[in-house]
Amino acid sequence: MRALQALRGMALVAAATLVAELGDISRSPIPAYLGLVPCELRPRHACQGGLTKAGNGATRRKLIEAVWSYRFPARISRGQLLRQEVLAKPIRDTALKAQEPLRPR
């Protein structure tokens, strides 16, 4: 739970919800379990619809609320810095790398 809280937008409630609902995160494909995959509108075509919304709705809602914080510029808040002090360096490095955009705007 502490490693999840190193990510921006992941506070105690969101991290606790994810851990309680998912258990071992490495055991299954998380996007499919939460319904975060696009639905196919027509077979054998390239068009895709919105999210399927199948799976765990409470966990999906908490995860989407946490992701909303990534629309702001990258920074580490004081509370997040205090939470990261007790974590190992590789976990802090991964949390810092997660703040970088995947592609330039």
Side-chain angles (χ1 to χ4, degrees):
M1 238 173 58
R2 287 186 179 175
L4 284 174
Q5 289 181 46
L7 297 170
R8 188 167 36 153
M10 235 352 135
L12 179 64
V13 175
T17 302
L18 280 173
V19 169
E21 295 289 337
L22 298 177
D24 184 16
I25 293 177
S26 64
R27 71 174 167 83
S28 65
I30 301 299
Y33 178 74
L34 295 177
L36 295 175
V37 292
C39 65
E40 299 288 332
L41 293 178
R42 288 182 269 160
R44 294 177 284 159
H45 285 82
C47 60
Q48 294 178 333
L51 298 178
T52 59
K53 296 184 181 157
N56 195 322
T59 308
R60 180 176 53 247
R61 191 177 90 225
K62 285 293 179 193
L63 187 62
I64 290 173
E65 283 178 13
V67 170
W68 271 98
S69 67
Y70 281 86
R71 65 184 178 193
F72 300 116
R75 68 177 183 86
I76 298 177
S77 67
R78 184 176 188 83
Q80 188 177 11
L81 191 61
L82 292 173
R83 286 193 303 263
Q84 287 184 3
E85 283 181 349
V86 297
L87 298 175
K89 178 127 174 72
I91 295 172
R92 289 190 311 238
D93 292 342
T94 303
L96 186 63
K97 187 177 178 182
Q99 293 202 23
E100 299 171 5
L102 295 176
R103 55 185 164 183
R105 292 182 177 207

